[in-house]
Amino acid sequence: MTALLIDDEIQIRRLLRIALEGKGYNVREAENGVLGLQGAAYHKPNVVLLDLGLPDLDGVEVLRRLREFSDVPVLVLSVRNQESTKLAAFEAGADDYVTKPFSTAELLARLAAIQRRQGADENANLACGGLVLDPAHHAASLDGHALKLTPTEYALLAQLVCHAGKVVTIKQLLRAVWGPQSEDQSHYLRVYANHLRKKLEGSGISIKNEPGIGYRLELSECSNSRE
Amino acid sequence: MNDDNRPDPDDLLVELQRDEVKSKQGRLFIFLGMCPGVGKTYAMLQAARQRVAEGVDVLAGVIETHGRAETAALLEGMRVLPRRQLEHRGFTLDEFDIDAVLVKKPRLVLVDELAHTNAPGSRHSKRYQDVLELIESGIDVYTTLNVQHIESQVDIVRQISGVAVTETVPDSILDLAHEIQLIDLSVEKLLERMADGKVYLGERAELAISNFFKEGNLTALRELALRFTAEQVDRDLEDIRRLKRVSSPWKTNARLMVGVGPSPYAESLIRWTRRAAARLNCPWLVVWVESSRVLTATEQERLTRSLGLARKLGGEVVSVTGENVSIALLQVARERNVTQIVVGKPDKQPFWRKSLADQLILGSGDIDVCVVRPLAAPGKDTVSSLREPVSASTIAEFSWVLVSVFTIASLCWSLVGYTGYMFVALVFLLAVVLAALRLSRGPVLAMATLSAVCWNFFFIPPIFTFHIGKPEDWIMFGMFFIVALSMGSLTHRLRLREMAERRRARLTDALLRMTQSAALSAEREKGLETALRVIDETLHARTALVVRRADRSLDTQAHPASSFDPPAKEWGVVAWTHNHKQTAGRDTDTLPDSFATWFPLQTATSMMGVLGVRLEEETRLDFTTRETIAAFALQLALVLEKEHFIQAIHQAEILTKSENLRRALLDNVSHELKTPLAVIQAALDGTGREGPFLGEMATAAGRLQRVVDGLLEMNRLESGALHPSLDWCDLHEIIATARDAVGTALQTHPVSIHLPDDLPLVRLDPVLFAQCLANLLHNGAAHTPPGTPIKISAGLDGSNLHLAVRDHGPGLPPGAEIRVFEKFFRAENTPTGGTGLGLAIVRGLVRAMDGEVVARNAPGGGAEFAISLPGVETFHEPAVTP
């Protein structure tokens, strides 16, 4: 597994290299945006760690250009903790966002979570912990028992499961579930998220809210599997 | 629904705006009577006593009891305003004291005799203007009025009774009235009361009174009053109908127009038009066609008065230029979609000239022409206008004519032997044409006649007789006479026209020069100075400029470019002009004793200041000059407004720049501070935090990080750059997020959450709110012993969202309830490790969301922090079947 590290701070790069290599990653480094993009094209990494404050290009711009040719999972690592910046990063295609200073353990856990999503197939059954979704029949089961869901609830849950571990922005969820004309109807989303939360209570799966950004499906053990 | 039946939205808007203005204004109640003695004052006082009994603050501003005991008895026990004493030419006059009322600000003030003319030296020349100012400042007014004092009814009253009424009030004030109450009394009763001596008859001559109070007159006046009131009621009804969307059968698109000149009939035509327009409920124009003819002083004054009357009655005054009055009038009528033109019935007209009415009827096409019989305005000027005093210059011109004709005659006498008498005729013609270029009309015509006579007498054979022998000489004499007369008058008219053109061009040029110098000058002060000098030169006047300051109040001294300094007592009128956006001062109805006339510098959107113009002592402000000054004032206002906008843009640019700079700085600082912290933290993580030293380092790093976060957050709050972005939120979610954010610090305290089951979604900024809550939880956990519970409760009270965090620690030290929210405040005996910023940030965040946060000691121990946000939108979850 290859991880690409795009950050201009040599100390951060050195420390992260140690931590990542400890987890078995093959680490490549880039000290600015242009080199980072070249590295991503050349090394085809499995995961990218991206700083937003780069000397040559803005990190969000790097992300946008990266998304033109690759859908590699990207974890943004930045000192900026304003919601508007986070939202911009997510909308440009970031898979997760960690603010500096960070705890190394949490960073590694998040990195693992966003990588699991890799290779998910739209038509395959989606599963996350005890939760299994059957896209063909719009049915769901939790720990073997059928879960009663309305079509809207199912659509919302499918979106979250599909991106399990990753933040899905409010806009993305509204567009996917309610259609593009409903982008400002966030109260529906809140209501349905609440319904789902009640139905999933006690299953170890939680729907986490990132205020001002979106939702994330979280679980200690989460995996996608094909039927 | 049929569209035609719906009221015009614009009309509704106007109505609504009128209501809005009205709601801030005081209300006007008019007690209307047909003549003195019907008991208006009595009725007004009775109504006022009732209001006093209801507990309303009533002030009797001015009451004329005319010595009647019954009326005086009603005044007892009321607050009565003392009259103001005015000195005028050795007399002391009592007058209504408007300033005292404005200071006392009663709810309701009684002002008798609305049509009264104020004593010289008062603020306004008429009492109704005082009343207007009172209702504008929000005071209700009760007042009395006789129907003959209503401006539009003056002519009718004159026809009925033969009495010319001089004290009048404009009809517009009656439109303002909230309620008009008619005090009616039968004619027999009134005559009875008169016989009993109960009617005050004033200082009028006995004869006039007995003429006025004839039964026929009184009946007619009574009918007038009744009809007038009925019309008002009718209009109110129509307003109601329009608003209630009852189909409006009277939706007329009528528009009346009346052409006026400097004739004594103009005023009566204007009143007629106003009455007709009021009945049709339509707008009306008053058009004055300015030709090249120069008006005499009397005409000028009469015109100014007529147009002033038109404005006062609510007409729109349009002034156009043109030599042919009927063509100019028809052009305006077509441009303004006039449906009916009002014109006076012509009196004697020479048979070869068509009267104005005939010309209008010929050219009017689909516009109606209404020919009415006007009444000449009463007074001396009907006669005096026809006999202008003969000026000295005219006498000089006549003598010049006499001398030159006889000089030419004697010169030609010596030449006639060589040239023949035909040559002499040509010399005379030449002289007449040349004279017409210099002299006025009368002398030129006299010269033409005199030349013809001379030629006949001295040159046409037989000479020294007026007899002409040959028939061809007769024809020649006739031709000479006609040619001389018409050449003379034509040349003269051309010259006048040229003069008028030149005057107009001079004004236009002055306006252009003024605008250019003021707008294009590099230095504003210098530009304004040049502009004012242009006005001075053009009008032969002195000017003063008072400019609005940045805080929208008027400057307290005149602009340095002014050519006169307003005397100290002039500032009252300056302020009045600025506040009321109306022209005031000399030659106007408001404060006419002032030193200068003051014009508001008003643009479409704002008031930029006041321009004072002091004309030379003997000149009066006529209509043309007033229009010219108004044009100057508008240009000045536009220039000042432009300056104001430029400054505003400049200011905004500076703000944006500093905001960008601040943001860049903040980004840099946070980057520079947080990156090393991240390195330290990551390095500590890498070592696994084993050992006592590393543990201490980790704690210190954590604390440093909180301080840095707090400082940056505080900076963001204090720069005012924080704008809440509202979104629908679930309070459960927010509480969960806040708990996650606090993390391990909260693990030692059991947290209980108390939310109502049916709590709807609320619309607020989830990020800011979650941060507030997180800070409060962190604060609670840090200041209470481990194991003590923390309780979060929230609820909605109408649209008020309140949330409280209560701990069970030692509580707040006394007096710290407010100080805990100060930056870096630490209560005594608090554990170290905090930043001293948490609660200050909470207060900043809550205020950014327009809410308030308080701290208090909860009954039963522990501290409680309560946030309340007003005006929160809510969304109740619709019933969903799962």
Side-chain angles (χ1 to χ4, degrees):
Chain A
M1 267 200 300
T2 311
L4 175 64
L5 204 52
I6 311 177
D7 199 319
D8 58 329
E9 290 288 335
I10 182 140
Q11 280 188 302
I12 296 276
R13 289 207 305 270
R14 264 201 306 250
L15 284 164
L16 281 176
R17 172 182 278 273
I18 295 167
L20 289 171
E21 279 176 350
K23 284 278 172 184
Y25 284 94
N26 181 10
V27 179
R28 306 280 174 186
E29 289 176 26
E31 59 185 46
N32 60 40
V34 174
L35 288 177
L37 285 169
Q38 283 172 3
Y42 183 72
H43 300 296
K44 301 219 180 331
N46 300 88
V47 67
V48 174
L49 286 98
L50 174 67
D51 182 24
L52 288 186
L54 296 172
D56 56 342
L57 286 173
D58 186 73
V60 176
E61 181 58 31
V62 174
L63 190 53
R64 216 167 273 139
R65 293 197 196 171
L66 178 68
R67 279 288 172 250
E68 284 170 13
F69 63 88
S70 164
D71 59 353
V72 55
V74 173
L75 186 139
V76 171
L77 195 57
S78 172
V79 292
R80 299 181 202 165
N81 59 355
Q82 259 118 62
E83 268 57 38
S84 54
T85 322
K86 289 189 190 171
L87 202 56
F90 280 117
E91 273 169 4
D95 293 73
D96 208 343
Y97 194 109
V98 173
T99 48
K100 290 182 195 172
F102 51 88
S103 121
T104 315
E106 190 192 341
L107 178 77
L108 292 173
R110 297 244 189 140
L111 212 51
I114 62 171
Q115 270 182 279
R116 274 186 217 120
R117 185 179 65 81
Q118 271 298 82
D121 187 335
E122 286 294 317
N123 289 320
N125 269 5
L126 292 166
C128 180
L131 184 70
V132 179
L133 298 189
D134 176 5
H137 301 96
H138 280 222
S141 64
L142 184 63
D143 299 328
H145 304 285
L147 193 63
K148 270 192 184 173
L149 293 174
T150 66
T152 313
E153 284 168 358
Y154 175 83
L156 179 58
L157 189 58
Q159 281 298 318
L160 290 171
V161 172
C162 192
H163 301 100
K166 184 201 156 185
V167 174
V168 191
T169 64
I170 294 170
K171 225 186 207 177
Q172 282 168 357
L173 284 173
L174 285 168
R175 210 179 309 158
V177 179
W178 281 272
Q181 73 284 357
S182 315
E183 276 178 17
D184 51 350
Q185 313 273 327
S186 65
H187 44 295
Y188 293 141
L189 179 58
R190 306 282 174 204
V191 170
Y192 281 93
N194 240 347
H195 290 170
L196 281 180
R197 215 174 259 144
K198 274 178 197 150
K199 288 183 182 177
L200 295 175
E201 228 162 39
S203 66
I205 299 169
S206 59
I207 298 173
K208 280 261 169 316
N209 174 36
E210 297 277 338
I213 298 170
Y215 285 90
R216 175 215 308 270
L217 197 70
E218 248 185 30
L219 166 96
S220 40
E221 294 298 314
C222 184
S223 62
N224 285 316
S225 65
R226 284 159 208 277
E227 195 159 62
Chain B
M1 195 182 195
N2 188 344
D3 255 10
D4 293 343
N5 287 338
R6 270 216 299 262
D8 186 344
D10 288 342
D11 285 355
L12 283 177
L13 199 63
V14 168
E15 191 76 27
L16 283 175
Q17 282 167 347
R18 204 163 67 187
D19 281 356
E20 211 168 283
V21 172
K22 265 190 181 171
S23 66
K24 278 179 227 154
Q25 281 184 346
R27 290 171 303 171
L28 177 65
F29 296 80
I30 298 179
F31 295 81
L32 183 73
M34 59 179 177
C35 68
V38 293
K40 296 176 303 291
T41 308
Y42 189 81
M44 175 172 82
L45 283 170
Q46 271 184 324
R49 286 195 80 90
Q50 196 165 352
R51 298 294 297 274
V52 172
E54 288 164 13
V56 177
D57 177 21
V58 179
L59 178 67
V62 53
I63 300 289
E64 315 281 355
T65 57
H66 301 309
R68 276 193 293 259
E70 300 157 302
T71 318
L74 281 178
L75 255 181
E76 256 168 50
M78 271 206 198
R79 264 208 308 158
V80 180
L81 185 78
R83 305 264 181 114
R84 186 174 159 214
Q85 308 281 325
L86 279 171
E87 286 285 333
H88 184 65
R89 295 191 184 153
F91 293 99
T92 313
L93 298 167
D94 283 351
E95 203 47 80
F96 173 54
D97 192 351
I98 179 173
D99 289 311
V101 179
L102 287 173
V103 170
K104 287 188 176 163
K105 265 206 168 289
R107 187 78 207 86
L108 172 70
V109 63
L110 312 181
V111 184
D112 211 358
E113 306 263 343
L114 185 63
H116 176 78
T117 302
N118 285 340
S122 308
R123 167 161 5 177
H124 298 294
S125 57
K126 296 280 188 180
R127 186 172 285 167
Y128 75 81
Q129 293 171 309
D130 291 341
V131 168
L132 281 178
E133 199 170 333
L134 287 175
I135 55 175
E136 217 165 89
S137 58
I139 301 173
D140 287 354
V141 178
Y142 276 9
T143 187
T144 64
L145 180 68
N146 284 327
V147 73
Q148 78 248 34
H149 293 300
I150 299 172
E151 184 70 60
S152 65
Q153 312 293 318
V154 164
D155 292 337
I156 302 175
V157 172
R158 213 171 114 217
Q159 275 168 316
I160 295 171
S161 63
V163 176
V165 179
T166 47
E167 295 193 324
T168 57
V169 298
D171 295 52
S172 50
I173 196 169
L174 287 131
D175 293 343
L176 276 179
H178 180 73
E179 195 181 302
I180 296 178
Q181 195 173 342
L182 180 69
I183 309 302
D184 192 32
L185 192 70
S186 72
V187 174
E188 293 81 45
K189 268 269 175 61
L190 180 67
L191 289 173
E192 222 171 81
R193 284 183 54 151
M194 257 186 75
D196 295 349
K198 284 182 181 169
V199 176
Y200 168 72
L201 300 176
E203 298 89 22
R204 288 176 219 182
E206 277 296 322
L207 187 70
I209 296 157
S210 53
N211 277 341
F212 187 78
F213 281 90
K214 269 191 288 206
E215 194 168 343
N217 281 354
L218 290 175
T219 315
L221 280 173
R222 187 172 175 212
E223 187 196 332
L224 197 64
L226 287 169
R227 206 167 54 196
F228 186 84
T229 318
E231 274 171 24
Q232 290 286 335
V233 172
D234 219 32
R235 218 168 316 153
D236 287 350
L237 185 71
E238 194 181 330
D239 283 351
I240 293 168
R241 263 180 208 244
R242 244 202 321 252
L243 265 189
K244 295 231 161 130
R245 279 166 147 250
V246 180
S247 71
S248 64
W250 307 289
K251 196 176 155 189
T252 76
N253 293 315
R255 188 183 286 253
L256 299 191
M257 182 182 106
V258 59
V260 299
S263 88
Y265 301 112
E267 288 191 26
S268 135
L269 281 177
I270 290 171
R271 285 198 195 99
W272 195 96
T273 315
R274 149 80 205 193
R275 283 198 302 272
R279 236 166 264 146
L280 289 171
N281 194 14
C282 67
W284 55 292
L285 311 176
V286 175
V287 182
W288 145 237
V289 181
E290 190 182 5
S291 71
S292 56
R293 200 164 75 82
V294 180
L295 298 182
T296 64
T298 328
E299 284 177 327
Q300 187 69 258
E301 185 174 336
R302 211 148 48 194
L303 181 72
T304 311
R305 212 173 46 212
S306 302
L307 295 181
L309 173 74
R311 274 209 198 91
K312 214 154 69 176
L313 288 177
E316 183 188 349
V317 175
V318 177
S319 118
V320 292
T321 52
E323 288 306 316
N324 188 321
V325 178
S326 64
I327 291 178
L329 284 179
L330 285 169
Q331 199 179 347
V332 175
R334 295 248 144 71
E335 276 167 12
R336 308 293 298 263
N337 290 326
V338 166
T339 52
Q340 198 173 342
I341 302 175
V342 178
V343 64
K345 200 173 189 172
D347 30 34
K348 286 161 226 140
Q349 277 284 338
F351 67 91
W352 65 83
R353 265 175 76 178
K354 279 217 167 67
S355 70
L356 178 63
D358 287 333
Q359 290 177 35
L360 282 175
I361 292 168
L362 268 182
S364 61
D366 55 350
I367 303 174
D368 295 341
V369 177
C370 186
V371 183
V372 302
R373 186 177 69 86
L375 260 81
K380 54 193 182 338
D381 37 273
T382 322
V383 189
S384 70
S385 72
L386 300 175
R387 304 235 173 99
E388 287 302 319
V390 181
S391 69
S393 68
T394 323
I395 295 173
E397 284 182 1
F398 273 113
S399 12
W400 192 88
V401 163
L402 212 62
V403 169
S404 55
V405 168
F406 282 104
T407 318
I408 294 167
S410 40
L411 272 176
C412 289
W413 183 251
S414 54
L415 292 173
V416 75
Y418 308 100
T419 58
Y421 65 90
M422 301 299 282
F423 170 76
V424 181
L426 284 177
V427 175
F428 273 124
L429 269 185
L430 180 70
V432 169
V433 171
L434 288 179
L437 289 176
R438 295 288 309 269
L439 307 182
S440 47
R441 192 184 174 89
V444 170
L445 295 186
M447 186 169 177
T449 319
L450 198 59
S451 316
V453 172
C454 266
W455 186 49
N456 181 356
F457 193 77
F458 293 110
F459 299 96
I460 302 180
I463 53 172
F464 298 126
T465 59
F466 288 113
H467 178 70
I468 298 172
K470 287 186 271 179
E472 61 262 39
D473 282 352
W474 263 119
I475 297 171
M476 245 181 347
F477 173 72
M479 273 161 44
F480 175 84
F481 194 70
I482 293 168
V483 169
L485 272 183
S486 45
M487 282 298 277
S489 88
L490 267 181
T491 319
H492 174 73
R493 216 186 288 173
L494 266 178
R495 189 167 60 96
L496 281 188
R497 196 172 297 180
E498 192 202 320
M499 268 163 58
E501 277 311 320
R502 216 178 295 158
R503 202 188 54 193
R504 227 169 286 157
R506 200 167 60 97
L507 282 183
T508 321
D509 177 58
L511 206 57
L512 185 70
R513 263 193 304 148
M514 194 212 80
T515 315
Q516 277 178 342
S517 53
L520 300 180
S521 163
E523 287 169 68
R524 171 192 143 139
E525 304 303 313
K526 225 170 183 175
L528 282 179
E529 186 166 356
T530 331
L532 289 185
R533 289 303 83 76
V534 172
I535 302 179
D536 290 1
E537 255 171 58
T538 318
L539 299 170
H540 308 292
R542 285 181 293 155
T543 47
L545 183 66
V546 184
V547 188
R548 193 188 80 175
R549 285 183 298 207
D551 60 350
R552 286 174 188 273
S553 67
L554 204 59
D555 209 341
T556 48
Q557 56 189 31
H559 192 273
S562 308
S563 50
F564 75 87
D565 204 21
K569 68 185 183 84
E570 197 74 0
W571 287 99
V573 61
V574 174
W576 197 92
T577 308
H578 182 254
N579 293 339
H580 291 77
K581 299 175 183 162
Q582 281 169 20
T583 308
R586 205 172 151 224
D587 293 333
T588 67
D589 284 341
T590 305
L591 298 163
D593 294 336
S594 308
F595 178 73
T597 317
W598 295 88
F599 292 81
L601 298 179
Q602 196 181 8
T603 65
T605 48
S606 49
M607 196 54 202
M608 301 310 301
V610 178
L611 174 72
V613 178
R614 165 75 178 174
L615 294 175
E616 279 164 10
E617 200 57 61
E618 66 276 15
T619 37
R620 265 182 70 81
L621 181 71
D622 61 34
F623 174 71
T624 339
T625 320
R626 204 173 153 153
E627 294 285 283
T628 314
I629 301 176
F632 280 132
L634 178 63
Q635 289 302 329
L636 268 181
L638 288 174
V639 169
L640 288 172
E641 193 182 37
K642 191 198 76 180
E643 292 284 341
H644 172 73
F645 283 152
I646 290 175
Q647 271 177 12
I649 290 172
H650 195 61
Q651 205 75 32
E653 270 173 6
I654 290 177
L655 264 180
T656 322
K657 247 185 227 165
S658 71
E659 170 63 25
N660 285 343
L661 201 69
R662 196 194 58 81
R663 185 163 298 169
L665 194 73
L666 205 63
D667 271 358
N668 274 332
V669 168
S670 61
H671 186 259
E672 295 309 323
L673 287 173
K674 284 183 179 178
T675 307
L677 264 173
V679 172
I680 293 170
Q681 197 117 26
L684 284 168
D685 280 354
T687 61
R689 304 191 184 191
E690 300 291 327
F693 297 115
L694 290 176
E696 288 306 319
M697 273 173 75
T699 313
R703 181 172 166 192
L704 189 56
Q705 185 192 328
R706 279 204 307 281
V707 172
V708 168
D709 281 344
L711 282 172
L712 291 172
E713 188 63 39
M714 209 58 225
N715 183 299
R716 202 153 72 101
L717 272 172
E718 284 179 347
S719 70
L722 204 62
H723 304 291
S725 64
L726 302 185
D727 194 4
W728 291 107
C729 307
D730 185 344
L731 273 186
H732 293 97
E733 272 183 4
I734 292 190
I735 292 171
T737 314
R739 287 177 69 179
D740 281 356
V742 180
T744 49
L746 211 55
Q747 276 170 5
T748 50
H749 294 76
V751 177
S752 61
I753 299 168
H754 302 265
L755 296 183
D757 290 335
D758 58 343
L759 191 72
L761 295 183
V762 285
R763 208 166 142 74
L764 42 82
D765 187 318
V767 181
L768 301 189
F769 200 72
Q771 199 183 341
C772 286
L773 185 55
N775 281 11
L776 287 181
L777 290 175
H778 198 278
N779 181 67
H783 292 91
T784 55
T788 53
I790 291 177
K791 179 178 144 193
I792 303 172
S793 58
L796 269 168
D797 173 17
S799 66
N800 242 340
L801 176 71
H802 47 84
L803 178 139
V805 174
R806 193 222 161 141
D807 59 41
H808 288 82
L812 298 163
E817 284 90 345
I818 296 184
R819 295 197 59 210
V820 283
F821 292 110
E822 284 171 15
K823 268 185 284 183
F824 304 112
F825 171 79
R826 281 164 177 284
E828 279 171 46
N829 306 325
T830 50
T832 53
T835 59
L837 284 170
L839 290 177
I841 290 172
V842 170
R843 187 172 63 171
L845 291 171
V846 172
R847 286 194 177 159
M849 293 186 282
D850 295 325
E852 203 44 71
V853 57
V854 292
R856 55 180 169 242
N857 278 320
E864 184 177 59
F865 294 85
I867 297 173
S868 68
L869 298 181
V872 175
E873 277 181 74
T874 56
F875 176 79
H876 278 276
E877 186 178 326
V880 183
T881 43

